[in-house]
Amino acid sequence: MAQQLNRLRESASQTAGPYVHIGCVPSFAGLQGMYDGIDLGRDMVNDSAKGRRISLRGCVIDGTGARLRDAMVEIWQADHSGYFNSPSETRGDADPNFTGWGRSATAASTGEFRFHTIKPGRVPRPDGRLQAPYIHFWIVARGINLGLHTRMYFPDEIEANSEDPVLQGLEHSHRAETLVASLQDGEYVFDIRLQGQRETVFFDV
Amino acid sequence: MASRKNSPANGAFFARDTSWHPPAYTPRYKSTVARSPKLALVSLSNSPGELTGPAFGHEILGDSDNDLVHNYARPGASAIGERIVVQGRVLDERGVGIDGVLLEFWQANAGGRYRHAKDGYLAPLDPNFGGCGRTITSDDGSYELLTVKPGPYPWPNGPNDWRPSHIHFSVFGRGFAQRLVTQMYFQGDPLIPLCPIVATIPSREAVDGLVAALDMSNTIPMDAICYKFDIVLRGRRSTMFENRLEGN
């Protein structure tokens, strides 16, 4: 016999269900006056935030080609210089005027999520190799049993993308394109495909 | 953003045991069929983006954010239903309490009806119940909320499927890799073993981890029954030898 590790097990995930908006974006869900009418994660930047303002939008698309109209999408990203606004950030101080975290429901009418944020700086892997600028996405919805993690890369960062250790490390290299947004009318567009020929790469982080 | 007190470890997160969680494709829960990725997840070792996460300070909280009996009610009124207190701690897999964790919860009212445009169940809305609340864990990872016990309700899946009474929880840890959404069930509910969503979880042991226990010791006499519900997030490695370059 050896000593016991005495570890607990992570609580099992359950779907966020079709009513996730009540708890996470109550004003969007029509609960007037909850939390002073401000849904958490709506505002990522203030007027003093440093860096280039960008807008991004997209849809989450199921295996039949339909847009999810009841999903919730969160993003987490570095500031303009590559630091995260988090007590867990040990490398340096992030811009206090940029939260780095955003949350958006997909609209019932269009199925679109939308974020107003800034272009992130580059962040190193633990081995020191620099990653291309990217935005971490996390998707929950009815029918998704465990929240899905993926990444959005930028179409105008061809050189950085070509040396990104995550994009270049994919076994199926042709799938890297599922992680690169397109640029349409000045907005980045990132569609997430849950299934099908162009299924988005999802990560076990 | 808030500062943190307990810092049990700063290494990478323990790998997630995906065989413990529900798989993506669980056809008895029909909504997963077209919404489940078919290809394998790509493993990604933790970098700063996974090790860090947003933090939320107590200043965002209103006085009654964790009191669902009153936070949507008219002045002087309260929600209809069995009054319950839910108490517990957010722990990591080492058993260490995590402070500063934002918990958001949502639930149906006592009749099993959600305050949502898409819920058309026969049971009436309660004008004094919104079904939405939040709190932040204190120094030892503990939290509590006051609410009414949510009712079970039928849902369109099989011809006669009913959800057991449950409260949804959204949980932020220290790092975005710990992000978790789950549901709390109630001890003794006969609908738990019949529910296709509960049944997405592979093991009985993992289901038991989501069932809150009746806690008579913390029940407030003549007021509210207490249920105890702890939440466990991924642990972190603590070795100082993590990814040290050879020769250094």
Side-chain angles (χ1 to χ4, degrees), chain A residues 6-26 29-35 38 40 61-64 67-72 74-76 84-91 98-101 103 123-127 131 134 136-138 140-149 151 166 170 175 194-196 199-205, chain B residues 1-4 14 16-18 20-24 26 29 31-56 60 65 71-72 91-95 102 104-106 114-116 118-119 130-134 163 168 170 172 174 176-177 179-183 185 197-198 200-201 206 210 230-234 236 243:
Chain A
N6 289 326
R7 296 276 153 71
L8 304 174
R9 302 296 298 263
E10 187 185 13
S11 298
S13 173
Q14 291 274 261
T15 178
Y19 307 122
V20 58
H21 316 108
I22 294 172
C24 294
V25 282
L31 272 69
Q32 304 301 325
M34 281 306 297
Y35 310 149
I38 301 168
L40 218 52
I61 300 165
D62 75 12
T64 74
R67 297 175 173 189
L68 274 60
R69 293 160 197 275
D70 55 8
M72 186 177 79
E74 292 183 358
I75 62 174
W76 174 238
F84 291 92
N85 189 345
S86 170
S88 301
E89 173 61 273
T90 56
R91 299 170 301 137
F98 176 65
T99 69
W101 175 75
R103 171 186 272 173
V123 180
R125 301 286 304 160
D127 61 9
Q131 303 176 99
Y134 76 93
H136 187 140
F137 273 69
W138 181 77
V140 292
R142 171 176 64 86
I144 294 178
N145 285 332
L146 176 63
L148 296 169
H149 293 272
R151 289 181 164 201
V166 175
L170 293 173
R175 298 188 66 207
L194 300 177
Q195 290 178 0
E199 180 179 313
T200 299
V201 173
F202 297 104
F203 294 100
D204 179 7
V205 301
Chain B
M1 294 236 167
S3 64
R4 256 74 175 273
F14 297 168
R16 180 168 258 163
D17 182 353
T18 49
W20 176 257
H21 290 281
T26 48
Y29 173 25
S31 296
T32 67
V33 173
R35 294 182 169 197
S36 46
K38 292 289 181 281
L39 299 172
L41 300 179
V42 173
S43 295
L44 191 57
S45 61
N46 290 170
S47 64
E50 292 80 38
L51 294 169
T52 57
F56 304 93
I60 70 167
D65 280 5
N71 69 9
Y72 199 78
L91 308 162
D92 73 7
E93 287 171 300
R94 297 163 174 275
L102 175 67
E104 297 164 291
F105 5 87
W106 62 102
Y114 284 92
R115 184 171 289 281
H116 194 282
K118 287 181 62 183
D119 189 355
C132 163
R134 63 183 179 183
R163 293 304 324 277
H168 297 265
S170 158
F172 288 84
R174 289 276 196 272
F176 212 56
R179 192 81 179 82
L180 183 72
V181 167
T182 188
Q183 301 181 27
Y185 302 99
I197 289 178
V198 174
T200 62
I201 299 172
L210 301 183
D230 287 343
I231 297 164
V232 181
L233 300 180
R234 293 165 69 181
R236 292 179 82 154
N243 293 321

Side-chain angles (χ1 to χ4, degrees), chain A residues 33-36, chain B residues 58 60-74 77 105 129-135 144-147:
Chain A
M34 281 306 297
Y35 310 149
D36 298 323
Chain B
H58 290 264
I60 70 167
L61 300 178
D63 289 341
S64 60
D65 280 5
N66 66 340
D67 177 357
L68 283 70
V69 171
H70 298 104
N71 69 9
Y72 199 78
R74 292 188 315 275
F105 5 87
F129 187 73
C132 163
R134 63 183 179 183
T135 190
E144 69 175 341
L145 62 128
L146 176 69
T147 186

Side-chain angles (χ1 to χ4, degrees), chain A residues 39-58:
Chain A
D39 286 335
L40 218 52
R42 185 192 68 181
D43 303 318
M44 299 180 66
V45 297
N46 66 26
D47 291 343
S48 305
K50 296 184 185 131
R52 182 162 70 86
R53 262 56 170 188
I54 58 172
S55 294
L56 61 99
R57 62 181 162 87

Side-chain angles (χ1 to χ4, degrees), chain A residues 24 30 63 77 81 115 133 137 160 169 179 188 198:
Chain A
C24 294
Q77 63 164 96
S81 59
F115 296 98
F137 273 69
L179 301 180
Y188 293 102
R198 295 184 58 214

